[in-house]
Amino acid sequence: MSLTLIVYSVSGINSVDLNNPRDIGIAKILQALASIILFVFPVYIFVRFTFTGNYGYFLGLKKAERSNMYVLGIVGILLAMPFVFWLGDLNSRIPLPSELVKLEETSSKQMAAFLKVNSPLDIVINVFIIALLPAVCEELFFRSGLQRIIIHICRIPWAGIVMTAIIFSAFHMQFAGFLPRMFLGVVLGAMYWFSGSIYTSMIAHFVNNAVQVIAASYAPKYIDKNPETPVLAAIVSGIVVWAILWYFQKQSTVTYSKVYNTDELNTTNQFIA
């Protein structure tokens, strides 16, 4: 918050004018700072308090159990889109309080201003700030940190994955997209758990974000509206994603005891987070 106030003070603006390119540029800088401060810094403090060294290894910054899991993660997140769009349409039919509706409208206007493209450089900047940074920072916070804690508490990996996904979706404060974001959180959480590498979910998260950023840059109507998706396509999409996660689990050797049996920690015991 202090850094945010400093940036606002130096910039000389009191509120962001969504029609002013300078204000939008400052808002993008603030978004980048927020991603780092809100998500990366707490995880860094967590590992410093919890472990005695090799922090990146405990956060899952290591190779996946199988190299094909990176590709499967990308394919899975792309093939999940029809089901995600269908969930978004279903979510849009749920009535929300007027305060939340206004919040959603404000968020949509801000995102439309962020994604306005005047040159190819704008797309590169948007992909970095809106796609890459959140993919890296949010995965570190929600999967490497929070999911590890929740699974440790409930001792059931799938329960921890789902609970983390619910918190992940609620944290965005965009309830018109709660269901699709929660589903993506489950998919990303499972990819991380079974691969043992946070890179798997980071890459999948980035691909999901980048596709949406690029698509919305050229088709702004889809910022607050889901593409029409036939029910059959959504069903097929959901089944395919389930099959990919099942294959992840089948290839994986990750177990609760391997991750949390700290009495037998060593450099090769597959401690994944």
Side-chain angles (χ1 to χ4, degrees), residues 160-203:
I161 289 169
V162 172
M163 290 173 65
T164 304
I166 293 172
I167 298 172
F168 167 71
S169 186
F171 192 88
H172 284 76
M173 294 299 292
Q174 294 174 324
F175 295 98
F178 183 87
L179 292 179
R181 190 176 294 107
M182 185 187 74
F183 171 73
L184 287 172
V186 171
V187 172
L188 293 170
M191 287 178 177
Y192 169 50
W193 175 259
F194 292 118
S195 70
S197 172
I198 195 63
Y199 296 128
T200 308
S201 59
M202 280 182 179
I203 293 170

Side-chain angles (χ1 to χ4, degrees), residues 35-260:
S35 293
I36 296 170
I37 296 169
L38 289 176
F39 299 125
V40 178
F41 183 67
V43 173
Y44 172 75
I45 296 299
F46 166 66
V47 296
R48 288 302 299 258
F49 284 171
T50 307
F51 306 110
T52 57
N54 205 5
Y55 306 121
Y57 187 79
F58 293 141
L59 291 174
L61 297 172
K62 64 187 186 68
K63 292 181 180 179
E65 289 213 333
R66 299 288 182 89
S67 58
N68 67 353
M69 288 178 169
Y70 302 117
V71 177
L72 284 173
I74 295 173
V75 172
I77 212 71
L78 290 174
L79 293 179
M81 286 188 175
F83 190 72
V84 169
F85 294 148
W86 179 80
L87 280 177
D89 182 62
L90 181 66
N91 201 152
S92 67
R93 302 173 190 273
I94 301 174
L96 294 173
S98 58
E99 293 80 7
L100 290 181
V101 172
K102 291 179 181 178
L103 186 64
E104 295 286 341
E105 291 174 350
T106 301
S107 178
S108 295
K109 289 178 182 178
Q110 181 180 8
M111 186 55 65
F114 273 30
L115 294 175
K116 187 175 181 180
V117 175
N118 296 313
S119 69
L121 180 61
D122 290 334
I123 295 181
V124 174
I125 294 172
N126 288 342
V127 166
F128 177 76
I129 293 177
I130 304 174
L132 181 59
L133 268 182
V136 173
C137 299
E138 290 179 10
E139 288 307 301
L140 282 173
F141 182 89
F142 288 101
R143 253 59 71 175
S144 293
L146 186 60
Q147 180 172 290
R148 168 189 160 73
I149 295 170
I150 294 178
I151 292 177
H152 200 178
I153 293 171
C154 64
R155 308 183 73 85
I156 303 174
W158 273 111
I161 289 169
V162 172
M163 290 173 65
T164 304
I166 293 172
I167 298 172
F168 167 71
S169 186
F171 192 88
H172 284 76
M173 294 299 292
Q174 294 174 324
F175 295 98
F178 183 87
L179 292 179
R181 190 176 294 107
M182 185 187 74
F183 171 73
L184 287 172
V186 171
V187 172
L188 293 170
M191 287 178 177
Y192 169 50
W193 175 259
F194 292 118
S195 70
S197 172
I198 195 63
Y199 296 128
T200 308
S201 59
M202 280 182 179
I203 293 170
H205 195 153
F206 168 69
V207 169
N208 175 75
N209 288 357
V211 168
Q212 295 191 50
V213 166
I214 294 171
S217 296
Y218 292 102
K221 67 178 181 179
Y222 292 123
I223 292 175
D224 56 359
K225 179 182 178 182
N226 292 288
E228 294 184 6
T229 305
V231 175
L232 181 59
I235 294 173
V236 172
S237 171
I239 292 173
V240 170
V241 173
W242 173 84
I244 289 174
L245 294 182
W246 172 83
Y247 190 58
F248 258 86
Q249 186 171 3
K250 184 179 180 181
Q251 292 188 99
S252 176
T253 64
V254 175
T255 63
Y256 181 90
S257 61
K258 283 185 177 180
V259 177
Y260 295 103

